[in-house]
Amino acid sequence: MSSLVSIVERSRASRDLAPLVASIPFARFLGISAAFAGEELIGKLAFAPHLVGNPLLPALHGGTIGALLESTAIFTLLVKTETLRVPKTITITIEFLRSGKAQDTFARAEFTRLGRRIASVRAFAWQDDPSRLIAAANASFLLMPVKDEQDATVADCVPR
Amino acid sequence: MRFPDKSQALARLDEVLTTGVMPHNTALGLRAVDIDEGVVTVELPYQDKLVGNPDTGVLHGGALCATLDATCGLAIIAKMEDLTRIATIDLRIDYLRPATPHKSVICRAECYKLTRHVAFARASAYQDTPADVVACAVGTFAIFADEPSLTASALRPASGPA
């Protein structure tokens, strides 16, 4: 069992996502965190100057919002399913609806369809008002374990 | 030809990437590799802070997402006549395989259509050779004809051919 999976299992049991998020270097670099609000997992991207893409506006770099959406979808899959590996993103399409202001950003994810090997997920990001989205994403994830992590490709999830 | 002095244009692109004109691109450690009319190539050096899976050392998808988005935007700026602000409308990324740890990722983007209000760009990220694709992206970008862009003016200060 990998160390990340054991952290995930502890997070599922305790509902404390901090150790899981803290174990991911890129989440720490961006300042992403996650917590439960009732039954829903909410991802958060704390504003920091290194997240800015356009200093004139200023606006968050689109990539940081994409990372928040993708991370929130993965955290949601990890805690709401029994998957024993980190879901692999097959594809993600991000719509940037409003520019992200220089403040904290939040996200949530919902399953469009949760299959045995593929999960279809929608994720939404907002700042002040959850009904005024700044971005939305549509993503597919590979859930099933594969023999060799390094060799996993899209071909692994083509239906036979 | 948009960039008659290639080495000067490349040096300018590297300066844009490394001096915080776009702070997040500098934070990611992006470096310039090549620039031509409508085509830009950058390098994302492997760094521990960009890891998404601590068990395998594989890069986080978000680091590739940000790099692909940024490179598409730069390719559009490298094609524009008037240097104004652009913004991503949407971006699709396909992750073909995990990036091999401890190796740079090279990202090459091309603006294949530029209109008055919208630009279309595609990009691929690879490691050893361009055929060795890690991820590819296609995106649409809005062009704000009446708003200035720091990045664009830093890349082409004379507001014309570099």
Side-chain angles (χ1 to χ4, degrees):
Chain A
M1 186 185 286
S2 70
S3 59
L4 194 57
V5 165
S6 58
I7 294 170
V8 168
E9 292 196 319
R10 284 203 297 277
S11 287
R12 275 178 192 148
S14 66
R15 291 172 60 86
D16 176 10
L17 299 165
L20 169 60
V21 180
S23 74
I24 299 168
F26 191 68
R28 289 200 306 268
F29 166 61
L30 287 187
I32 287 176
S33 58
F36 279 101
E39 282 309 298
E40 189 160 67
L41 183 148
I42 303 291
K44 176 181 169 185
L45 176 66
F47 176 75
H50 73 288
L51 306 179
V52 169
N54 181 338
L56 270 187
L57 290 175
L60 291 175
H61 193 294
T64 66
I65 299 168
L68 172 68
L69 289 164
E70 185 176 334
S71 298
T72 302
I74 291 174
F75 292 145
T76 305
L77 282 165
L78 282 172
V79 298
K80 301 245 175 173
T81 70
E82 297 300 306
T83 179
L84 286 177
R85 62 191 284 272
V86 181
K88 277 203 165 69
T89 316
I90 301 166
T91 183
I92 182 166
T93 302
I94 304 151
E95 292 174 281
F96 296 95
L97 306 170
R98 293 180 172 87
S99 66
K101 292 175 284 186
Q103 61 188 65
D104 294 351
T105 309
F106 303 91
R108 64 179 183 85
E110 58 189 44
F111 306 141
T112 317
R113 178 176 185 272
L114 193 57
R116 194 175 61 84
R117 58 172 88 194
I118 307 285
S120 296
V121 182
R122 303 246 159 128
F124 307 94
W126 69 91
Q127 292 188 316
D128 306 299
D129 176 355
S131 69
R132 273 179 66 85
L133 298 177
I134 65 159
N138 225 331
S140 303
F141 294 91
L142 181 62
L143 303 176
M144 62 184 291
V146 287
K147 275 171 262 155
D148 183 348
E149 285 285 330
Q150 291 300 313
D151 287 343
T153 68
V154 176
D156 290 319
C157 54
V158 173
R160 284 166 221 275
Chain B
M1 203 175 152
R2 180 59 42 84
F3 301 107
D5 187 343
K6 188 72 150 298
S7 60
Q8 190 192 45
L10 198 56
R12 206 167 273 157
L13 173 62
D14 201 54
E15 198 181 309
V16 164
L17 290 172
T18 55
T19 57
V21 175
M22 298 162 289
H24 189 60
N25 291 343
T26 304
L28 285 170
L30 297 183
R31 299 301 302 261
V33 173
D34 197 19
I35 184 165
D36 218 323
E37 182 168 342
V39 186
V40 164
T41 307
V42 306
E43 175 181 2
L44 174 70
Y46 185 84
Q47 296 152 84
D48 292 338
K49 69 183 180 186
L50 304 182
V51 166
N53 185 328
D55 293 342
T56 60
V58 168
L59 286 184
H60 195 286
L64 290 173
C65 172
T67 305
L68 289 159
D69 183 31
T71 316
C72 283
L74 290 167
I76 293 163
I77 289 168
K79 190 167 182 143
M80 289 165 75
E81 293 287 341
D82 301 315
L83 302 175
T84 59
R85 180 170 83 85
I86 63 170
T88 316
I89 301 171
D90 80 352
L91 187 72
R92 172 188 169 127
I93 301 168
D94 294 342
Y95 295 100
L96 279 67
R97 68 168 180 84
T100 306
H102 307 292
K103 268 189 187 179
S104 284
V105 173
I106 307 296
C107 181
R108 180 186 186 276
E110 174 196 12
C111 171
Y112 62 97
K113 178 72 177 174
L114 177 65
T115 70
R116 187 188 300 268
H117 299 296
V118 180
F120 301 82
R122 58 190 162 215
S124 73
Y126 57 90
Q127 291 189 298
D128 294 323
T129 69
D132 175 37
V133 178
V134 171
C136 40
V138 57
T140 55
F141 293 74
I143 293 170
F144 299 91
D146 49 357
E147 294 180 42
S149 158
L150 270 188
T151 305
S153 40
L155 198 56
R156 283 162 49 201
S159 186

